[in-house]
Amino acid sequence: MPFAVPVAEQRFLLQHVAGIDALAAMPAFADATPDMVDAVLEGAAAFAEGSFAPLNRVGDTVGARRTEAGVTMPPGYVAAYHDYVAGGWGTIDADVAQGGQGLPFSVATAVLESLGTANLSFALCPTLTVGAIEATSAHGSASQQAMYLPKLVTGEWTGTMNLTEPQAGSDVGALRTTATPQADGTYRIKGTKIYISYGEHDLAENIVHLVLARTPGAPAGTRGISLFVVPRFRVGADGAIGAANDVRCVSIEHKMGLHASPTCVMSFGDRDDCIGEIVGPEHGGMRAMFTMMNNARLNVGLQGVEIAERATQAAVDYATVRVQSARAGAASRESVAIVEHPDVRRMLLRMKALTQGARALCYHAAGQVDRAHQGDAAARVRVDLMTPLVKAYGTDVGVEVSGIGIQVHGGMGFIEETGAAQHYRDARIAPIYEGTNGIQAADLVGRKLTGDGGAGLAALLAEIRGEAADEAGLMMLVDSVERVAEALRVGDGDDRLAGSYPFLTMLSVATAGWLMARQGRAAVGDDGFARMKRAVVRFYLDRLVPEATGLSAGALAGAAGLYAVGVEELVA
Amino acid sequence: MPFAVPVAEQRFLLQHVAGIDALAAMPAFADATPDMVDAVLEGAAAFAEGSFAPLNRVGDTVGARRTEAGVTMPPGYVAAYHDYVAGGWGTIDADVAQGGQGLPFSVATAVLESLGTANLSFALCPTLTVGAIEATSAHGSASQQAMYLPKLVTGEWTGTMNLTEPQAGSDVGALRTTATPQADGTYRIKGTKIYISYGEHDLAENIVHLVLARTPGAPAGTRGISLFVVPRFRVGADGAIGAANDVRCVSIEHKMGLHASPTCVMSFGDRDDCIGEIVGPEHGGMRAMFTMMNNARLNVGLQGVEIAERATQAAVDYATVRVQSARAGAASRESVAIVEHPDVRRMLLRMKALTQGARALCYHAAGQVDRAHQGDAAARVRVDLMTPLVKAYGTDVGVEVSGIGIQVHGGMGFIEETGAAQHYRDARIAPIYEGTNGIQAADLVGRKLTGDGGAGLAALLAEIRGEAADEAGLMMLVDSVERVAEALRVGDGDDRLAGSYPFLTMLSVATAGWLMARQGRAAVGDDGFARMKRAVVRFYLDRLVPEATGLSAGALAGAAGLYAVGVEELVA
């Protein structure tokens, strides 16, 4: 199926949602000139379309495989990954000192979006490497940074995040992997981790595992966790790759989607010879984990947008080619392309509106990340508030839009060869990993709503009201969000959690609606992009925003009804 | 995973929603005594649990396969199907004269539900046979009825519906298969049909294809279509099976789900020797097709309920076993089963509420089918109005609930071995086949809303108001439904279609909400079933009904916004 990165949309969002002009005016981002940003967007789009996109289907049909020699990627992936490294596509926002280009995270977001829209499974690998870079940058020693960062930034080595264990999924504090100190200051790591994306593969010469484990005598729960760096192959002081470390993939999962991404069960220290170094202070693992996870959560939210964009393009393409039935009420009884039928249009515009609304959340958050990195405290608060919204709403949108994509294809959508089914299957993991969307909702109504007395939320709502007061439907939703927030804040903890998910959706839609309204005002002129943008903005504000208002009853309904029956009755 | 047919729920719905007592009071259904109905429900449940359910997973992993010798079913299916025939599970509501038991369609609905909940792919075969029985009963000649009905009723022979061709999906009138009359009164059939479920298999000794085709000189479009019966093996006047007819499966589709159901490309008359008989009058094909499709649509809506029930049971089971994290705010820091966490409860109760609401629509429609068969004209109007609601809302519920099922399982939900993914994949075809849900919505706002001047809808809304006036939220939704219906009825055709889908959902939820409220009142006492029912009813009325009210803006938004941009901009 045809595929093109929506570069005009990316440029528009960088300008009007992320605020790239203001970023470029900061000394740190002086290089982010319009010409430079354009060159990056165009180059990334061409690379994504030419190298990553053509491998999406073979990634699904062949998938990553575990062999005696280790995990191998599907045909074409190794060469494309080498091109990715050679093109410097992983270096956009990394520090210049580490070999990066020092451009804004907002621009890196657009680049990652292009790769992920082309091939979600493949782009997950760089996404995880970013997490390893962030953790090492923030918490690693100077020698660790010197040893790992340059190779991670280029992508010559890839990174993983090793959190989950069979008994410790969302409850990270329950993990049991051990780290025993050695005389030389290193640690012996022993344990099993599951769901490790790209835990093993043949794309890169080394893999840098960041592993949460417990040191001897560590306190129970999350307070006793430390972070360790465990390379697949040991690295000499000179940076040369040495002998294999005692870490290996013992199984890969048979998943519903994302087949090209090897989801590994990793065994550390089978022969008691897995050597790692501690990253940051002992028992500082949770803080380091949140460093890794926060940007990862933004990037997973972006994955929802990516799969939604890909599904939308496929559906629009099919709808313009598939001829079926005359237009109802039309004089002509000739069959028309299904794009002409009102309900198909409704589906396509719903796909576009959801996708663009979720994308706006991603770019807004990215712009705030850049400001926060430059010391803007209000931007840091905004990023913290936006993170659960981006992650949960973005991934919910990915699921819904890919489902509509199947529907637009009719019977063909259920046939694997069409490709729509792959989007639907691939999309479904995103609401689960990097903290389930339920965890995001709990984070929102917990820390984010009550942690600062609600100041961050109040600031956001005030900004929305100040800018979009003329959108009556949006103002109704904002009022409703405020009422719900207040009720949840003063309410019982169970009631707060019971209403957390509908509240998260309401706030996400209110925020996206605000950013869509802004785009609608900015989309002046009569070119195709501007007219399309205005139509999609109206769809979002006139149809999706009122839907979200309907969630307030559920958000306020409380927990008592959920516990009116015991577990026995639920099972019966 | 454990699985049990919800027999208590079926019994409760037959009583309070389908009105089985009133049906049993009719002479035609005198056999439907409480004891008899109980025996049927219990027997079907035991058979579904013991024979169909254990084959669900192998059906997915092995699937139906096309070999040189024909299409073969997965291991165990042939034996289980023979047991189905021997048990008489297909004969429940068939005419006694044809070897049936003459029980109400409502009871047959419960039996089919049990089979489909156990194994959706497998139960699709009897579902299609029902369509063939209906068409042959309504339109076949006496000799056709004598030749085919007894074998179809027992299930010794199975039936198919051959409508779709590559260029004729939703637009049946575009079909090109030809039927050329022969001197002996038979026809030679020639053409290719696609998406023919159970078009070939090794379950039964013969397959009775009902095929739409055009006779020479027939008018274009739907007015020129006739229905033909084409057996896989020719049948002698004595009923004995003879030589193979010139019809065969030339390919089976590689689908995302429903793997045990062979979806065939059928070739008729490759050697110009495919013999069929016309069923009903020439050019009477569309009427016959609607006979087949109307009950099929009800049964496909039921499929949504089936997969939702199965997914819900799996999720509840997992949530009671999976231990993760302490309960927020609880004194104990011990980890608890995730069913104790408020947002997981919310998901489980949402699954139950959606499933039970959709089931109520199915049983209400089934009860009305029984009354319509006994000559009740108002019931016929109600069935016609309910059919698009049952089909579209039921299947939408199947998709949503199976998606929540994955979410409850967390990372395990994305792993195929868990089974939750199969439900999600299987569920996704139901909103497409037997008339896409968009077609259902068009049918609702077209024929069903305007055909009788809205009398059928007015009667339904009056009935809801009369019975559930004390449910304020439901009354708000009913008011909103009425306003939208009036606006759509007097509006432009495009506006009507543009609002059709949200309107369909609103009306479905209003109708389900009414039937749930009735169940809530009927569920007296302190047993587990009654307490669970009341909790689920409250969830439906307090949370799902207000959500549907939020759809009215979209239903009223009209078509202009959908056509504000041209196809070129949609593609760009």
Side-chain angles (χ1 to χ4, degrees):
Chain A
M1 65 191 79
F3 162 68
V5 170
V7 175
E9 165 87 353
Q10 291 180 331
R11 197 182 286 122
F12 190 81
L13 279 147
L14 283 177
Q15 190 176 351
H16 298 290
V17 176
I20 187 76
D21 293 346
L23 291 176
M26 297 177 183
F29 298 130
D31 285 350
T33 62
D35 283 355
M36 168 60 99
V37 171
D38 266 5
V40 170
L41 296 184
E42 300 282 357
F47 176 73
E49 292 164 5
S51 290
F52 267 39
L55 300 176
N56 194 44
R57 173 121 178 95
V58 69
D60 187 55
T61 52
V62 175
R65 300 206 166 156
R66 198 171 77 87
T67 69
E68 283 300 307
V71 175
T72 61
M73 293 293 288
Y77 276 63
V78 171
Y81 188 77
H82 287 171
D83 292 344
Y84 162 84
V85 171
W89 297 115
T91 68
I92 305 294
D93 65 330
D95 279 356
V96 174
Q98 313 293 355
Q101 302 185 49
L103 289 167
F105 176 73
S106 306
V107 177
T109 293
V111 170
L112 188 60
E113 183 196 8
S114 298
L115 297 173
T117 310
N119 190 325
L120 190 67
S121 291
F122 204 171
L124 183 55
C125 184
T127 301
L128 291 158
T129 302
V130 168
I133 292 171
E134 298 272 346
T136 309
S137 301
H139 307 287
S141 67
S143 71
Q144 286 166 349
Q145 293 187 2
M147 181 171 286
Y148 294 113
L149 282 180
K151 297 284 195 180
L152 287 171
V153 164
T154 59
E156 288 165 278
W157 299 354
T158 68
T160 70
M161 296 163 51
N162 291 252
L163 283 55
T164 306
E165 300 180 9
Q167 79 294 345
S170 297
D171 185 9
V172 176
L175 68 83
R176 293 178 192 149
T177 294
T178 57
T180 309
Q182 307 298 301
D184 65 354
T186 65
Y187 288 77
R188 283 190 194 271
I189 312 294
K190 193 171 178 68
T192 301
K193 296 285 183 176
I194 63 169
Y195 301 152
I196 307 308
S197 298
Y198 283 90
E200 194 172 298
H201 57 76
D202 55 0
L203 297 176
E205 60 180 358
N206 207 355
I207 302 175
V208 181
H209 302 294
L210 287 165
V211 184
L212 292 180
R214 295 187 177 285
T215 48
T222 55
R223 288 174 307 132
I225 293 171
S226 307
L227 181 68
F228 298 86
V229 57
V230 180
R232 181 184 188 186
F233 294 101
R234 290 170 190 163
V235 183
D238 58 351
I241 285 185
N245 208 345
D246 180 16
V247 49
R248 64 195 182 96
C249 168
V250 294
S251 170
I252 64 176
E253 304 291 354
H254 176 214
K255 306 192 299 299
M256 180 167 69
L258 231 58
H259 293 161
S261 162
T263 304
C264 300
V265 178
M266 299 299 295
S267 184
F268 295 85
D270 263 359
R271 301 186 309 275
D272 293 322
D273 193 28
C274 178
I275 305 298
E277 286 186 8
I278 196 163
V279 179
E282 193 174 358
H283 306 160
M286 280 307 278
R287 217 176 125 235
M289 188 193 83
F290 278 114
T291 306
M292 283 196 281
M293 287 201 75
N294 269 338
N295 281 352
R297 285 175 173 183
L298 294 179
N299 286 335
V300 169
L302 187 65
Q303 290 184 334
V305 176
E306 293 160 3
I307 200 77
E309 174 68 30
R310 190 78 194 259
T312 301
Q313 290 193 22
V316 168
D317 178 63
Y318 183 80
T320 57
V321 174
R322 171 71 172 173
V323 173
Q324 192 82 168
S325 300
R327 175 96 177 266
S332 165
R333 293 292 79 205
E334 284 291 301
S335 294
V336 296
I338 63 171
V339 67
E340 300 295 348
H341 298 306
D343 189 61
V344 174
R345 288 246 168 174
R346 178 193 63 81
M347 288 195 278
L348 296 177
L349 277 160
R350 186 177 183 94
M351 295 173 85
K352 285 194 174 259
L354 287 165
T355 305
Q356 292 186 19
R359 182 184 285 119
L361 294 188
C362 293
Y363 278 69
H364 176 62
Q368 300 297 314
V369 166
D370 284 319
R371 287 163 178 79
H373 283 172
Q374 299 305 311
D376 182 336
R380 168 50 52 200
V381 171
R382 179 63 56 85
V383 170
D384 289 347
L385 180 62
M386 291 296 296
T387 298
L389 308 186
V390 168
K391 198 281 176 178
Y393 185 69
T395 57
D396 282 347
V397 160
V399 170
E400 179 175 348
V401 170
S402 61
I404 305 174
I406 289 193
Q407 192 69 23
V408 170
H409 282 82
M412 289 290 289
F414 202 59
I415 309 297
E416 283 290 355
E417 285 79 356
T418 308
Q422 184 189 348
H423 303 148
Y424 188 65
R425 290 185 287 97
D426 284 355
R428 195 60 193 80
I429 187 58
I432 296 171
Y433 61 17
E434 295 305 323
T436 67
N437 286 3
I439 300 271
Q440 304 303 323
D443 175 46
L444 174 65
V445 301
R447 259 182 302 232
K448 305 301 165 63
L449 192 61
T450 58
D452 61 358
L457 176 66
L460 173 62
L461 298 184
E463 199 173 347
I464 298 176
R465 286 194 173 114
E467 191 177 331
D470 55 332
E471 291 291 348
L474 182 60
M475 289 305 104
M476 273 184 61
L477 177 58
V478 169
D479 292 347
S480 189
V481 163
E482 193 167 48
R483 273 194 302 274
V484 172
E486 189 51 29
L488 297 185
R489 190 160 39 228
V490 303
D492 167 70
D494 277 352
D495 290 340
R496 191 150 59 228
L497 288 168
S500 62
Y501 209 101
F503 174 68
L504 178 146
T505 304
M506 292 172 71
L507 180 56
S508 299
V509 173
T511 308
W514 157 53
L515 298 169
M516 290 297 277
R518 181 194 292 174
Q519 292 178 65
R521 283 191 308 277
V524 292
D526 197 43
D527 61 302
F529 179 84
R531 278 186 287 130
M532 187 73 226
K533 178 60 79 177
R534 292 197 298 267
V536 173
V537 165
R538 289 307 346 148
F539 193 99
Y540 200 97
L541 290 167
D542 297 343
R543 302 176 201 235
L544 300 183
V545 163
E547 277 183 32
T549 309
L551 297 172
S552 69
L556 293 169
L562 305 179
Y563 293 90
V565 288
V567 171
E568 327 72 60
E569 282 97 43
L570 273 171
V571 174
Chain B
M1 64 190 79
F3 163 69
V5 170
V7 175
E9 166 86 355
Q10 292 181 329
R11 196 182 287 122
F12 190 81
L13 279 145
L14 283 176
Q15 190 176 352
H16 298 290
V17 176
I20 187 75
D21 293 346
L23 291 176
M26 297 177 182
F29 299 130
D31 285 350
T33 61
D35 283 355
M36 168 60 98
V37 171
D38 266 5
V40 170
L41 296 184
E42 300 281 358
F47 175 73
E49 292 163 5
S51 290
F52 267 38
L55 299 176
N56 194 44
R57 173 118 178 96
V58 69
D60 187 54
T61 52
V62 175
R65 300 209 164 153
R66 197 172 76 88
T67 70
E68 283 300 305
V71 175
T72 60
M73 294 292 290
Y77 276 64
V78 171
Y81 188 78
H82 287 171
D83 292 343
Y84 162 84
V85 172
W89 296 115
T91 67
I92 305 294
D93 64 332
D95 279 357
V96 174
Q98 313 293 355
Q101 301 185 49
L103 289 167
F105 176 74
S106 307
V107 177
T109 293
V111 171
L112 188 60
E113 183 196 9
S114 299
L115 296 174
T117 309
N119 189 325
L120 190 66
S121 292
F122 203 171
L124 182 56
C125 184
T127 301
L128 291 158
T129 302
V130 168
I133 292 170
E134 298 271 346
T136 309
S137 300
H139 306 287
S141 67
S143 73
Q144 286 166 349
Q145 293 187 2
M147 182 170 286
Y148 294 112
L149 281 179
K151 298 284 194 179
L152 286 170
V153 164
T154 58
E156 288 165 279
W157 299 353
T158 69
T160 70
M161 295 163 52
N162 291 254
L163 283 53
T164 306
E165 301 180 7
Q167 79 295 345
S170 297
D171 184 9
V172 175
L175 67 84
R176 293 179 193 148
T177 294
T178 58
T180 309
Q182 307 298 303
D184 65 354
T186 65
Y187 289 76
R188 282 189 195 274
I189 312 294
K190 193 170 179 67
T192 301
K193 297 284 183 178
I194 63 171
Y195 300 152
I196 309 307
S197 298
Y198 283 90
E200 194 171 298
H201 57 76
D202 55 359
L203 297 176
E205 58 181 359
N206 207 356
I207 303 175
V208 182
H209 302 293
L210 287 164
V211 184
L212 291 180
R214 296 188 176 285
T215 48
T222 55
R223 286 174 307 132
I225 294 171
S226 307
L227 181 69
F228 299 86
V229 58
V230 179
R232 181 183 188 188
F233 294 102
R234 290 171 190 163
V235 183
D238 59 350
I241 284 185
N245 209 344
D246 180 17
V247 49
R248 65 196 181 95
C249 169
V250 294
S251 171
I252 65 176
E253 304 291 354
H254 177 213
K255 306 192 301 298
M256 180 167 70
L258 231 58
H259 293 161
S261 163
T263 304
C264 301
V265 178
M266 298 300 295
S267 183
F268 294 86
D270 264 358
R271 300 187 309 275
D272 293 322
D273 194 28
C274 178
I275 306 297
E277 286 186 9
I278 196 163
V279 179
E282 193 175 358
H283 306 160
M286 280 307 279
R287 215 175 128 237
M289 188 193 81
F290 278 114
T291 306
M292 280 197 282
M293 287 202 74
N294 268 339
N295 281 351
R297 285 176 173 182
L298 294 178
N299 285 336
V300 169
L302 188 65
Q303 290 184 335
V305 176
E306 293 160 3
I307 201 76
E309 174 69 29
R310 191 78 195 260
T312 302
Q313 290 193 22
V316 169
D317 179 62
Y318 183 80
T320 57
V321 174
R322 171 71 171 172
V323 172
Q324 192 81 167
S325 299
R327 174 97 179 265
S332 165
R333 291 292 80 204
E334 284 290 302
S335 294
V336 296
I338 62 171
V339 66
E340 300 296 347
H341 298 306
D343 189 61
V344 174
R345 287 244 168 175
R346 178 194 63 82
M347 289 194 276
L348 296 177
L349 277 160
R350 187 177 181 94
M351 295 174 84
K352 284 192 175 261
L354 287 165
T355 305
Q356 292 187 19
R359 181 183 285 121
L361 294 188
C362 293
Y363 278 69
H364 175 62
Q368 300 297 315
V369 166
D370 284 319
R371 287 163 178 79
H373 282 171
Q374 299 306 311
D376 182 335
R380 169 48 54 200
V381 171
R382 179 64 56 85
V383 171
D384 289 346
L385 181 62
M386 291 296 296
T387 298
L389 308 186
V390 168
K391 197 281 177 179
Y393 185 69
T395 57
D396 282 347
V397 160
V399 169
E400 178 175 349
V401 170
S402 62
I404 305 173
I406 288 191
Q407 193 69 21
V408 170
H409 282 82
M412 289 289 289
F414 202 58
I415 308 297
E416 283 290 356
E417 285 79 356
T418 309
Q422 183 189 347
H423 303 148
Y424 188 65
R425 290 185 288 97
D426 285 354
R428 195 60 192 79
I429 187 58
I432 294 170
Y433 62 17
E434 296 305 323
T436 66
N437 286 4
I439 300 271
Q440 305 302 322
D443 176 47
L444 175 65
V445 300
R447 257 182 303 232
K448 305 301 168 62
L449 192 60
T450 58
D452 61 357
L457 177 66
L460 173 61
L461 297 184
E463 199 173 347
I464 298 174
R465 285 192 173 116
E467 191 177 332
D470 55 334
E471 291 291 348
L474 183 60
M475 290 303 104
M476 274 184 61
L477 177 58
V478 169
D479 292 346
S480 189
V481 163
E482 193 167 49
R483 273 195 303 273
V484 171
E486 189 51 29
L488 297 185
R489 189 159 39 225
V490 302
D492 167 69
D494 277 351
D495 290 341
R496 193 152 58 228
L497 288 168
S500 62
Y501 210 102
F503 175 69
L504 177 146
T505 305
M506 292 172 71
L507 181 56
S508 300
V509 174
T511 308
W514 158 53
L515 299 169
M516 291 296 278
R518 181 193 292 175
Q519 291 177 66
R521 284 191 305 278
V524 291
D526 197 43
D527 61 303
F529 178 85
R531 279 185 288 130
M532 186 74 224
K533 178 60 81 177
R534 292 196 300 266
V536 173
V537 165
R538 285 315 335 153
F539 193 99
Y540 200 97
L541 291 167
D542 297 342
R543 302 177 201 233
L544 301 184
V545 163
E547 277 183 33
T549 308
L551 296 173
S552 69
L556 293 169
L562 305 179
Y563 292 90
V565 288
V567 172
E568 326 72 61
E569 283 97 43
L570 272 171
V571 173

